[in-house]
């Protein structure tokens, strides 16, 4: 089977959703996608420590990070996306997700992915950019 690497159709669907959400929620000055659209695979033992989606030591152009959950959560354990915001029980907020869900957040929000205990987790990621925050 011939599989094309042209993901333009996904970005065409993503773009209006991001712009609508941005206009209603954040109203950031976004100009375009970063062009760094990629699929990411987490294997058992993989994790991603606390970080933000901004560039270290530079004026970051990154405004909105978009994650699309490709794997069904019943097919893996762990690999949870957490944000550095605490709920009423002092736990870091865990992002809810299901297969096919789009999750978007300001790129400057500190977040992490807990260790994957079993299975494999796949996501797609894109970042929207614009002038640095002032």
């Amino acid at each position: 089977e011939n599989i094309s690497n042209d993901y333009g159709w996904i970005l065409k669907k993503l773009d209006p959703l991001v712009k609508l959400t941005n206009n209603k929620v954040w109203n950031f000055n976004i100009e375009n996608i970063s062009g760094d659209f990629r699929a990411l695979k987490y294997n058992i033992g993989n994790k991603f420590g606390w970080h933000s989606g901004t560039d270290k030591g530079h004026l970051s152009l990154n405004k909105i990070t978009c994650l699309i959950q490709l794997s069904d959560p019943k097919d893996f354990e762990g690999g949870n996306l957490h944000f550095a915001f605490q709920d009423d029980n002092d736990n870091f907020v865990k992002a809810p997700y299901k297969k096919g869900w789009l999750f978007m957040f300001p790129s400057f929000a500190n977040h992490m992915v807990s260790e994957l205990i079993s299975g494999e987790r796949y996501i797609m990621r894109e970042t929207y950019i614009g002038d640095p925050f002032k």
Side-chain angles (χ1 to χ4, degrees):
E1 181 176 347
N2 185 10
I3 299 175
S4 171
N5 289 330
D6 179 12
Y7 300 109
W9 65 273
I10 296 174
L11 298 175
K12 285 180 185 172
K13 292 186 178 291
L14 182 64
D15 199 58
L17 295 171
V18 171
K19 289 180 178 171
L20 177 68
T21 302
N22 180 56
N23 289 342
K24 293 198 174 280
V25 178
W26 302 295
N27 205 25
F28 294 156
N29 177 19
I30 57 174
E31 297 171 4
N32 209 339
I33 56 174
S34 69
D36 192 26
F37 183 67
R38 64 177 65 190
L40 301 170
K41 176 184 177 185
Y42 287 85
N43 293 308
I44 294 172
N46 289 157
K47 60 185 176 181
F48 205 144
W50 289 106
H51 66 285
S52 72
T54 56
D55 303 318
K56 295 179 182 176
H58 297 64
L59 290 176
S60 180
L61 303 178
N62 297 347
K63 299 290 182 84
I64 299 172
T65 299
C66 302
L67 303 176
I68 301 170
Q69 178 65 36
L70 300 177
S71 303
D72 190 322
K74 72 177 176 20
D75 295 335
F76 63 90
E77 181 182 356
N80 297 305
L81 174 64
H82 293 272
F83 288 89
F85 309 111
Q86 293 178 302
D87 62 19
D88 293 338
N89 298 319
D90 293 331
N91 297 314
F92 290 114
V93 172
K94 176 184 161 189
Y97 51 81
K98 292 183 181 179
K99 184 176 182 178
W101 277 20
L102 166 63
F103 196 77
M104 62 182 94
F105 54 93
S107 297
F108 57 74
N110 284 326
H111 56 285
M112 59 88 74
V113 177
S114 64
E115 183 175 347
L116 192 69
I117 305 300
S118 67
E120 295 175 336
R121 179 177 180 230
Y122 292 90
I123 63 169
M124 289 186 131
R125 187 202 73 205
E126 179 59 277
T127 306
Y128 277 72
I129 60 174
D131 291 333
F133 288 111
K134 296 177 181 176

